[in-house]
Amino acid sequence: MKLLVFLFLITLFISCTTSASTNKHPLDPLTPSEFKLVRTTVQKTYKASSPTLTFQYIGLDEPDKALVLSWESSKAKTKAAKVPPRRALVIARFKKQTLEISVDLSKGSIVSTKVYSGQGFPMITFDEQDAVVELPFKYKPFVESVQKRDLNISDVVCSTASVGWYGEIKSKRTLKLQCFYTKGSSNLFARPLEGITVVADLDERKIVEYFDNFNIPVPKAEDTEYVATKQKPPFGPTLMGAAFVQPNGPGFKIDGHSISWANWKFHVGYDVRAGPMISLASIYDLQQQRYRRVLYRGYISEFFVPYMDPTANWYFKTFLDSGEFGFGQSMVSLEPLADCPANAAFLDAYFAGEDGVPVKISNAICIFERYAGDIMWRHTESELHDEEIREVRLDASLVVRTVSTVGNYDYIIDWEFKPSGSIKMGVGLTGILGIKGTSYTHVDQIKENVFGTLLSDNTIGVHHDHYITYHLDLDIDGEANSFMKTNLETVTVRDESSRRKSYWSVVREIGKTEADGRIKVGLKASELAIVNPNKQTKAGNKIGYRLFPGTVAHPLLLSDDYPQIRGGFTNYNVFVTPYNKSEKWAGGLYADQSRGEDTLAVWSLRNRSIENKDIVLWHTVGIHHVPCQEDYPIMPTLSGGFEIRPTNFFERNPVLKAKTPKPMRFPKCNSQP
């Protein structure tokens, strides 16, 4: 029986894997052959290779939005629409200068080249990080520091950290290295060599500064192991497995990178900086008998993770995970039946290494239907004289999932599509805390601010924040949209018409300029929505989609503190800006060592018109994280997110007539003999 179930699942998996696409999509990510073409084209012009010429970023240079929408419209009519010309955007380092190069992929030629002379540097590649983390082991002062601590250097591993900006004038690309002791545990981040700071020049590939300020005991390896095969009894809890079967096969189809499921269709792309990108998401309206677009383009624009330790060895740890380290570059291969359920299909992803050679991430994206026992809608009516009515509809959703491991943290990213028209964005935080070594073994010994929680002997989990900023180019049934605030205001009853003294009512405001689109969620009772002012329901309501914030946090750093200047895009939970193709990265195109001069917060100060325009909603999910002992030695997943939900978009409940599958009957298992 087990063999039959296994064979069925394998057949199911094969049946829903990616099919060959008959028409290439204009927003498809670059292919391995396109990466190779870019590499050949650029190297031919500059007659150099790594490390003289390095590729810091290669991605799709998106066609203009009008061209993509025209293609989509033509494809719906003819099925053979001509794809707009494809170009690649290349950000390269050549002789210590940053170049912006546009490559025509159809002709294999360079269209334009620009030398960037502003502040900040491009994304840091894995290859250059791998090169500099090996430098300390040939550096005599570092070797002596390890020996002074009575440690075996063969058990030491180093990792990278960006240096940020703190008011100084910088002209070199540098990283700081923090090193860890691995003897006795796979959990290297739990055993830092505190007090040692190594500064490496990325272009020169050499150590340029070194500090050994103090000697703190390395935390013990005991009880830090998380690898399953290295665990020792007692074990528990025991979780019982569950089988998932779909007798009629999967309910979704994949054509290249285009997905269709239930009443949804959309495109799943990939970028080495952003990770997954969702485009052209449209939902079928049963009454209007047509697909209606909701989201033109959505992705995570930036991650801001500032730690709250201002001391010499920690103050610089204020990371822009996307712009500095590449959230897409950091995506990992997903484990079937663990990261994703048995009914999942998988897509691979490709990015270019610093030498331009394509790198494959197998099983980078998984797509699956979720039947979690949730209720789509229900009602029990017992007031009728003749009968009791009980109507329930089983809910389901389609999930697009990726996981990115940026240093010590793992981020689980879900895009969940609901038949009701909602899209839920989920963020799961797991992995290893940012650990600081200490001499303390009990909280009673602590008489100073240690900037974190004592988790174990010699182990501090440092306070920090997570801010995840989403770029959502919502097109609610068309590009011309407006931002509407529905404020809930208390009204006092001042006459004798009611026994009540108060109630609340709504006052609606349409945002005129970007200043009206900057919102700190939670400070005022209000609903926030993107509406199409040019289209109404039969009842006269403007059609729209409402933002349902989930996990929000407001910055606690001073606004003139250097990390907060760079992370100014988190000053508000919501920004609304007019669509601008060049405004993609909330922390700026060149985030590494940036000065906050090219961020969402700065763009918004132009105070451009956002009424009845093609507009973009930016929303930041925020978490203040005070570590606790349950987060150690590895952190159970902490989940957050938000939802966008139709608001007067449909004439009535869009899943009123939804058909749910007939339940499969299984024999009951009796645990008693």
Side-chain angles (χ1 to χ4, degrees), residues 252-528:
F252 62 94
K253 294 181 180 179
I254 304 178
D255 180 16
H257 285 263
S258 296
I259 315 295
S260 58
W261 171 79
N263 47 356
W264 281 102
K265 65 176 184 179
F266 57 92
H267 179 271
V268 179
Y270 165 83
D271 179 81
V272 67
R273 178 167 175 169
M277 307 184 86
I278 305 297
S279 303
L280 297 171
S282 301
I283 189 166
Y284 190 77
D285 189 318
L286 194 61
Q287 288 190 293
Q288 295 191 18
Q289 297 286 296
R290 68 181 181 94
Y291 279 97
R292 302 170 64 191
R293 191 166 67 255
V294 174
L295 176 69
Y296 175 73
R297 198 100 157 114
Y299 55 90
I300 292 175
S301 180
E302 190 54 88
F303 273 75
F304 180 39
V305 187
Y307 282 81
M308 296 298 128
D309 187 332
T311 59
N313 286 78
W314 270 80
Y315 75 91
F316 56 88
K317 295 185 179 182
T318 55
F319 304 115
L320 296 173
D321 280 347
S322 181
E324 292 173 340
F325 294 105
F327 204 64
Q329 177 180 239
S330 303
M331 280 167 52
V332 297
S333 296
L334 301 172
E335 292 290 330
L337 306 181
D339 287 315
C340 309
N343 61 317
F346 294 82
L347 296 174
D348 299 332
Y350 295 87
F351 66 90
E354 77 163 26
D355 58 1
V357 175
V359 178
K360 179 180 179 180
I361 308 174
S362 301
N363 293 354
I365 302 169
C366 76
I367 301 157
F368 60 92
E369 291 170 276
R370 174 182 283 161
Y371 292 84
D374 294 329
I375 297 170
M376 182 183 288
W377 61 262
R378 78 166 328 277
H379 182 62
T380 297
E381 184 55 75
S382 57
E383 300 297 324
L384 298 174
H385 294 297
D386 323 2
E387 60 177 329
E388 180 178 271
I389 296 175
R390 185 182 297 114
E391 287 289 317
V392 184
R393 297 295 182 271
L394 174 69
D395 202 5
S397 58
L398 187 73
V399 178
V400 178
R401 173 172 295 169
T402 61
V403 174
S404 291
T405 301
V406 188
N408 51 303
Y409 261 102
D410 294 62
Y411 295 95
I412 305 161
I413 304 300
D414 283 355
W415 291 78
E416 183 175 0
F417 294 83
K418 308 284 286 184
S420 61
S422 290
I423 306 176
K424 299 176 73 173
M425 293 72 168
V427 180
L429 282 63
T430 179
I432 316 295
L433 293 170
I435 298 296
K436 176 182 178 179
T438 181
S439 59
Y440 300 117
T441 59
H442 194 279
V443 293
D444 289 347
Q445 302 168 341
I446 302 174
K447 307 300 181 184
E448 60 182 340
N449 192 341
V450 294
F451 315 108
T453 303
L454 184 68
L455 303 173
S456 185
D457 288 356
N458 312 121
T459 304
I460 297 287
V462 179
H463 300 149
H464 59 283
D465 296 324
H466 300 268
Y467 298 103
I468 305 100
T469 299
Y470 284 77
H471 172 286
L472 300 169
D473 181 4
L474 294 168
D475 284 357
I476 307 303
D477 213 9
E479 297 96 276
N481 288 177
S482 294
F483 176 58
M484 183 170 72
K485 291 182 284 187
T486 301
N487 298 315
L488 280 57
E489 299 186 355
T490 301
V491 179
T492 302
V493 178
R494 300 187 183 280
D495 55 29
E496 302 299 323
S497 62
S498 173
R499 300 291 296 274
R500 292 273 294 273
K501 294 184 178 181
S502 63
Y503 62 96
W504 61 257
S505 187
V506 300
V507 177
R508 292 185 172 88
E509 299 178 43
I510 297 295
K512 303 293 185 182
T513 66
E514 290 175 276
D516 300 322
R518 296 192 288 265
I519 306 293
K520 292 186 177 182
V521 172
L523 300 187
K524 186 175 183 180
S526 59
E527 295 182 354
L528 309 176

Side-chain angles (χ1 to χ4, degrees), residues 42 46 88-92 99-103 110-114:
V42 175
Y46 289 91
L89 171 63
V90 180
I91 298 177
L99 307 180
E100 297 174 8
I101 306 169
S102 178
V103 177
I110 292 178
V111 177
S112 64
T113 301
K114 174 186 173 184

Side-chain angles (χ1 to χ4, degrees), residues 83 106 117 162 225 324 336 344 347 542 607:
V83 177
S106 63
S117 58
S162 54
E225 186 59 71
E324 292 173 340
L347 296 174
K542 293 181 176 65
N607 210 23

